Amino acid sequence: PIQARVIFVEACPIGIIQIYNFDDFCSRKTLKELPQNLGCLDMFIGDPCYLGLGLGAGSLQQFLATSDNTYECLVVNPEPQNTAALQTYSKAGFRKIFSAANPEELWMIWERHETPPKKAP
């Protein structure tokens, strides 16, 4: 199952956040030594007018705090050159890890037991 939420600013839908089971779409060859109860997360802000405003980190923090997901950890696979995405995920409590199969492949992980990140302004 995929759990998805639409990101709204006032009444305007601007993006989506979704989580799903890692093993349904990814290979364990890529990431080793991670919990069996592992989810993947995708987040997109589709309206360019809302990019660069800090809405991504706040939306992601709210999603992580209020979703009823049961995953021990969540991973994302941003493009290493996408500095805005890297900053957004870092602000929301994700940290960088690298693929065992390809050390140049960047993943980021959020672990449920970590101290919650500070709220975005």
Side-chain angles (χ1 to χ4, degrees), residues 26-98:
C26 302
S27 167
R28 287 278 173 177
K29 293 177 191 173
T30 302
L31 297 175
K32 297 181 185 277
E33 301 177 19
L34 291 176
Q36 289 301 309
N37 186 16
L38 181 63
C40 275
L41 182 137
D42 295 318
M43 184 175 90
F44 307 99
I45 294 182
D47 187 332
C49 297
Y50 292 95
L51 294 174
L53 302 176
L55 298 169
S59 298
L60 187 50
Q61 288 169 334
Q62 183 177 5
F63 176 81
L64 292 170
T66 60
S67 74
D68 57 355
N69 89 76
T70 58
Y71 294 109
E72 197 173 327
C73 298
L74 294 172
V75 292
V76 295
N77 183 222
E79 292 294 324
Q81 313 86 317
N82 188 342
T83 56
L86 298 177
Q87 289 174 350
T88 295
Y89 291 122
S90 291
K91 286 179 185 177
F94 285 77
R95 63 180 170 81
K96 292 180 185 178
I97 58 175
F98 292 89

